[in-house]
Amino acid sequence: MQQWEILIMTSAIRPPKWMPFHKAIEEKERIKQYLDAILFYLTKSDFESVVFVDGSGIESDFFYFLFPIADFYNKKFEMLSFENDPILLKSKWKGYGENNILKFA
């Protein structure tokens, strides 16, 4: 039986401005940080598959160039995006959003 090593990366590139305990980082910088991390895992890790899941509704345009890189390293890359319900996020906070991201994945 083959064992797959899959990394699921959760993100909120555009977190609500009111979200407590979220470090205020400019969107471009957040995208750069995630891209750097994804590139590391695609090129230097033993993970066979990287699944990047964003819960803030980001467009996937920033990530398309990663698919051929993943192919080159014989890995799989998947990018999923949806928008967490802001009303529920506000009442249940950050952990609720993380849980939803994992459920969506």
Side-chain angles (χ1 to χ4, degrees):
M1 181 174 169
Q2 183 178 10
Q3 183 177 358
W4 286 84
E5 294 192 21
I6 300 171
L7 173 66
I8 298 176
M9 295 178 66
T10 63
S11 81
I13 292 175
R14 288 186 187 136
K17 296 196 185 315
W18 50 260
M19 181 65 73
F21 309 114
H22 240 287
K23 196 171 184 180
I25 300 174
E26 201 174 306
E27 183 177 316
K28 287 180 184 178
E29 180 62 22
R30 289 179 86 83
I31 291 169
K32 182 191 175 308
Q33 289 173 351
Y34 283 119
L35 287 174
D36 289 346
I38 294 166
L39 282 169
F40 170 82
Y41 288 114
L42 288 176
T43 62
K44 296 186 171 38
S45 79
D46 291 333
F47 288 106
E48 296 171 356
S49 186
V50 175
V51 180
F52 181 76
V53 190
D54 182 79
S56 62
I58 190 78
E59 306 85 30
S60 57
D61 297 354
F62 301 106
F63 300 90
Y64 280 121
F65 78 96
L66 296 169
F67 291 97
I69 293 171
D71 286 342
F72 180 81
Y73 285 92
N74 295 315
K75 297 188 179 189
K76 295 184 187 306
F77 175 71
E78 187 172 354
M79 197 289 183
L80 305 170
S81 181
F82 75 103
E83 191 164 352
N84 262 310
D85 183 326
I87 295 169
L88 288 174
L89 271 180
K90 198 160 194 168
S91 67
K92 299 185 183 228
W93 296 59
K94 186 178 176 193
Y96 173 81
E98 290 288 331
N99 187 46
N100 276 353
I101 291 170
L102 289 171
K103 282 182 184 178
F104 189 81

